[in-house]
Amino acid sequence: MGLNIVQKIIKSHLIEGEMNAGELVGIRIDQTLTQDATGTMAYLEFEAMGIPEKKTELSVSYVDHNTSQMGFENADDHKYLQTIAEKFGLHYSRAGNGICHQVHLERFGIPGKTLLGSDSHTPTGGGMGMMAIGSGGLDVARAIAGFSFYITYPKVLKINLTGKLPAWVSAKDIILYVLELLTTKGNVGWMIEYGGEGVKTLSLPERATITNMGAELGVTTSIFPSDEITLAFLKAQNREDGWKELRADDDAKYDRIIDIDLSTLEPRVATPHSPGNVKMVSELTGMKVDQVCIGSCTNSSYKDLMTVAKMLKGKKLPLDMSLVIAPGSKQVLEMITENGALSDLIAFGARIMESACGFCIGNGQAPATDAVSVRTNNRNFKGRSGTESAGIYLVSPETAAACALTGVMTDPRDLGMEPPEITFPAKFKIDDTMIIHPIMQKKEIKIYRGPNIGNPPTNEPLADEFFGEVALKVGDKITTDHIMPAGIRLKYRSNIPKYSEFVFEPVDSTFPARCLSNKEKEKANIIVAGLSYGQGSSREHAAICPSFLGVKAVIAKSIERIHWANLVNFGIIPMIFADEEDFEKIEQNDELEMTNLIQAIQNKGSYIIKNKTKNYEFEVKLELSSREREILIAGGVLNTIKG
Ligand code: MIC
Ligand code: SF4
């Protein structure tokens, strides 16, 4: 039987397990990436493993999230990361070089390889035929140390693209349509493979926009074939040596197939406060827009910014609006500078930000109270922009530029303009001087540790019984931005005790104090949640900080993949309600009793918890692999590695 692309890559990287849907398989990781906001913790964990050198083919440490440097913390973290890279033989992409996913496509990605990144948008690399997966920092640290990465052998959904996009409709509209079809819930355990004739109509950065936002679906990753379009991109980056063809066999099988005729798509928009709330732009036409932000790892390629520049050339920004542009990489910024497009943007009234995550992670450019902000990035969770009351609308660069021209929500097809023609560059501007290469490795270097850098907290092995309190009860779709806010709190990523003061800040700022007081009384803290708990970012702080506050278990209707792994890695037991009705019965502050836990974790599929406050028992499912059971009993993955 023929194989699809997903099966081909897993087969060539398989270390452990059988290729059957639902089974745990260990795969070899060829490349890793980290960014500074998750990287410091990942490398502290790597150091704790005591491995002298990286074991991967390539590992890159990027600085792109925490670049605002409002205080010493960010710069200290950067110095820590640079010295780590120099000591262990990693590539180090300095602040200013660009957003990790964009730079990785440009300079490092190789079709057919596996890439593990401590950032949930690592699947961007799927646009060039990599199996690129996001995870917590600890799993990346393990991969750098040469351990395999475990995934549930996925079910594969083929999205069969036919036809060609109409004028003014672009890659972002394709993925917004996929989000409309599949939503942000219930896709755990799937990988998406794009195929069909329509694939040939999409350039590599367009494919990457689509795989990037696959993260919002909750799938493990998304992947495109590697073909002559991939080759053209790599040639233009002087990297054609790494190219190889990758396509599904003609008789390959899939668990599900969806057909999308590109010619039928229209401009779409994800409305507040979830990337899955998709509408047609035409439904919102005329709504006043206060701010437009163009950039992020989803839409800040050369083509994206050239399209915007051509649309805005010679015009002026409406008086009551702000336009922010953050080019995805130094390469893109230099190219639009040299060809004059940057001047067109500045003349229009754009505020040019550095090549970094910036507004996307709430690092500056917070909109005004109740403002409408139209953005090209991938997440619009409430409060992530820095303004709780603002509404964030996610669109394509074409729609964003249309709004910047008119001051209101505008379907670009209504502008009465011809869509700009952008020629794909035969050669991109290549200058890697912002990257420190492993060739410059200094094994004897002293690792720099600023006062903000603390060691990852240690955890006790699992106790056999505990009494606990439901310290918080939340509903569906709680994101890791709710659990561990970024924005102005980002600078504490390397300081767990301090960052822990802000756990669940957007939901209930009294949570940390309540937990600490329980912890003092030797009472465990338990979180109760609805569906899709832990959506969004891969930040393992959403597990480390609760663990530091004495959270021992999360009982939910369902938990998302990356967050699930992070919980286990830091010794928090993920439990699933056997009967969803029990979610309704349980209340915040209820006292729970858990006994004979070790035996249950060792070998049981379900477990009975006693609610002492309400005097009833309820069942939870323990859907754990044998590896996860071992980790939980040890009190977290670091305890298993240190032996
Ligand atoms: C995000 O987009 O939410 C982030 C910031 O890139 C995160 C990583 C983080 O929290 O540091 C992600 O997507 O994993
Ligand atoms: Fe950075 Fe935003 Fe991309 Fe996350 S989604 S990596 S914050 S640009």
Side-chain angles (χ1 to χ4, degrees):
M1 194 183 67
L3 299 179
N4 59 43
I5 298 175
V6 164
Q7 290 165 336
K8 286 186 181 182
I9 300 187
I10 296 186
K11 189 168 174 207
S12 60
H13 289 81
L14 192 68
I15 307 269
E16 255 180 85
E18 300 283 325
M19 291 176 52
N20 298 323
E23 276 200 35
L24 195 73
V25 290
I27 55 171
R28 190 181 70 250
I29 296 298
D30 302 319
Q31 299 191 348
T32 63
L33 72 77
T34 53
Q35 38 88 341
D36 50 304
T38 54
T40 48
M41 210 32 78
Y43 295 116
L44 285 164
E45 289 150 2
F46 178 73
E47 283 188 276
M49 292 174 195
I51 310 275
E53 219 169 20
K54 72 149 182 35
K55 301 276 174 58
T56 46
E57 290 172 14
L58 171 112
S59 287
V60 192
S61 171
Y62 291 93
V63 176
D64 54 0
H65 280 62
N66 271 321
T67 54
S68 57
Q69 299 178 217
M70 310 281 286
F72 63 91
E73 294 91 345
N74 297 171
D76 276 2
D77 285 2
H78 302 169
K79 274 178 88 171
Y80 168 75
L81 292 171
Q82 179 164 345
T83 50
I84 284 282
E86 288 171 343
K87 185 171 177 84
F88 294 108
L90 321 175
H91 286 77
Y92 177 70
S93 171
R94 294 147 72 188
N97 199 42
I99 305 175
C100 54
H101 308 303
Q102 175 68 25
V103 178
H104 208 84
L105 279 181
E106 291 168 358
R107 308 304 305 141
F108 298 111
I110 300 181
K113 298 273 181 192
T114 52
L115 166 69
L116 191 70
S118 60
D119 191 282
S120 62
H121 291 103
T122 305
T124 314
M128 63 163 38
M130 300 192 86
M131 177 164 287
I133 304 178
S135 76
L138 188 47
D139 282 327
V140 174
R142 287 183 70 263
I144 302 174
F147 295 102
S148 32
F149 177 65
Y150 294 90
I151 48 168
T152 309
Y153 187 76
K155 286 185 268 182
V156 187
L157 162 65
K158 178 176 182 187
I159 300 195
N160 191 41
L161 303 177
T162 55
K164 190 174 179 312
L165 288 171
W168 292 115
V169 182
S170 70
K172 182 66 151 284
D173 301 308
I174 304 179
I175 186 63
L176 288 175
Y177 177 56
V178 176
L179 270 152
E180 183 181 313
L181 288 179
L182 300 178
T183 79
T184 60
K185 286 191 302 203
N187 302 313
V188 174
W190 285 83
M191 287 196 192
I192 297 182
E193 186 172 313
Y194 288 86
E197 278 308 300
V199 159
K200 301 254 181 324
T201 65
L202 300 170
S203 69
L204 191 126
E206 291 172 304
R207 297 174 180 187
T209 295
I210 296 171
T211 56
N212 171 283
M213 251 188 119
E216 276 49 71
L217 297 162
V219 295
T220 309
T221 193
S222 312
I223 192 164
F224 272 82
S226 165
D227 55 10
E228 61 284 2
I229 290 175
T230 324
L231 177 61
F233 179 84
L234 285 170
K235 264 195 186 143
Q237 295 283 357
N238 272 355
R239 299 204 299 115
E240 62 269 37
D241 287 356
W243 181 77
K244 75 166 195 194
E245 190 185 27
L246 193 64
R247 60 180 189 87
D249 293 331
D250 294 337
D251 54 347
K253 294 266 177 309
Y254 295 89
D255 297 285
R256 185 180 171 195
I257 299 179
I258 294 180
D259 291 302
I260 300 182
D261 177 356
L262 298 177
S263 66
T264 62
L265 295 186
E266 295 184 43
R268 281 178 159 76
V269 47
T271 63
H273 297 285
S274 166
N277 291 345
V278 179
K279 291 204 164 96
M280 297 293 183
V281 173
S282 55
E283 289 176 64
L284 299 181
T285 307
M287 179 180 70
K288 169 86 185 76
V289 173
D290 303 284
Q291 183 192 45
V292 172
C293 300
I294 298 173
S296 92
C297 57
T298 320
N299 276 123
S300 57
S301 67
Y302 174 78
K303 176 177 179 252
D304 288 336
L305 294 198
M306 285 305 294
T307 304
V308 172
K310 288 212 169 163
M311 286 173 70
L312 303 186
K313 188 178 169 130
K315 319 255 177 28
K316 293 290 170 202
L317 179 71
L319 280 184
D320 47 1
M321 170 181 253
S322 168
L323 170 64
V324 169
I325 296 187
S329 66
K330 173 170 167 289
Q331 180 179 79
V332 172
L333 181 55
E334 274 195 276
M335 287 174 73
I336 62 169
T337 308
E338 283 174 11
N339 70 14
L342 183 67
S343 306
D344 296 333
L345 293 169
I346 296 172
F348 177 79
R351 303 164 63 182
I352 308 300
M353 302 289 136
E354 69 174 316
S355 295
C357 300
F359 68 83
C360 175
I361 183 64
N363 214 345
Q365 306 307 316
T369 307
D370 298 332
V372 166
S373 177
V374 169
R375 301 180 168 205
T376 63
N377 60 303
N378 46 35
R379 289 187 174 144
N380 57 350
F381 306 144
K382 194 168 197 300
R384 179 175 159 109
S385 66
T387 306
E388 278 293 306
S389 66
I392 311 296
Y393 293 76
L394 307 176
V395 299
S396 68
E398 289 80 355
T399 302
C403 298
L405 283 169
T406 60
V408 294
M409 183 63 85
T410 304
D411 184 326
R413 295 172 302 180
D414 296 340
L415 287 172
M417 280 164 78
E418 279 301 305
E421 288 272 328
I422 312 296
T423 354
F424 188 79
K427 275 280 171 256
F428 287 96
K429 163 114 192 168
I430 294 156
D431 171 6
D432 287 335
T433 49
M434 291 295 279
I435 297 172
I436 296 180
H437 293 265
I439 257 176
M440 308 169 192
Q441 188 174 4
K442 302 173 193 149
K443 285 197 177 145
E444 299 314 318
I445 197 170
K446 185 165 179 322
I447 306 284
Y448 175 86
R449 288 174 215 278
N452 191 40
I453 297 207
N455 286 326
T458 49
N459 202 15
E460 296 295 312
L462 182 72
D464 194 38
E465 61 176 20
F466 54 73
F467 297 93
E469 179 183 310
V470 178
L472 190 70
K473 181 176 175 185
V474 287
D476 291 349
K477 295 213 256 181
I478 289 293
T479 70
T480 46
D481 276 79
H482 290 110
I483 309 172
M484 263 342 308
I488 53 168
R489 306 298 182 206
L490 256 184
K491 62 180 182 183
Y492 300 125
R493 282 287 175 94
S494 318
N495 184 343
I496 298 301
K498 183 73 193 164
Y499 200 28
S500 298
E501 291 172 18
F502 307 106
V503 179
F504 276 115
E505 189 186 31
V507 177
D508 176 353
S509 58
T510 60
F511 176 80
R514 215 165 39 244
C515 286
L516 286 176
S517 127
N518 282 338
K519 196 177 166 187
E520 255 170 42
K521 294 181 216 139
E522 296 192 359
K523 225 198 243 179
N525 292 299
I526 291 149
I527 295 168
V528 168
L531 286 169
S532 289
Y533 182 74
Q535 283 193 343
S537 151
S538 67
R539 61 191 72 154
E540 59 188 354
H541 299 79
I544 306 179
C545 296
S547 166
F548 177 82
L549 295 178
V551 173
K552 298 289 179 202
V554 171
I555 315 177
K557 290 189 193 168
S558 67
I559 301 177
E560 292 295 298
R561 175 188 66 88
I562 302 180
H563 189 58
W564 176 289
N566 287 336
L567 289 174
V568 172
N569 281 347
F570 292 95
I572 299 180
I573 314 170
M575 298 176 164
I576 302 297
F577 284 107
D579 181 349
E580 291 198 0
E581 301 252 304
D582 285 323
F583 171 80
E584 308 302 332
K585 279 200 224 159
I586 199 165
E587 276 176 296
Q588 193 159 311
N589 301 330
D590 280 0
E591 302 265 342
L592 306 184
E593 184 182 86
M594 305 199 188
T595 52
N596 293 328
L597 250 181
I598 297 204
Q599 203 204 359
I601 299 290
Q602 251 158 2
N603 47 32
K604 291 220 167 103
S606 73
Y607 179 64
I608 304 289
I609 299 177
K610 181 155 193 190
N611 185 330
K612 296 206 37 147
T613 310
K614 302 217 161 55
N615 199 21
Y616 70 93
E617 292 188 336
F618 65 100
E619 189 184 341
V620 292
K621 291 187 271 177
L622 297 173
E623 294 168 340
L624 300 161
S625 67
S626 53
R627 183 177 165 266
E628 290 174 326
R629 290 173 194 272
E630 247 173 66
I631 296 173
L632 283 171
I633 289 172
V637 100
L638 280 177
N639 293 355
T640 64
I641 292 176
K642 282 185 280 185

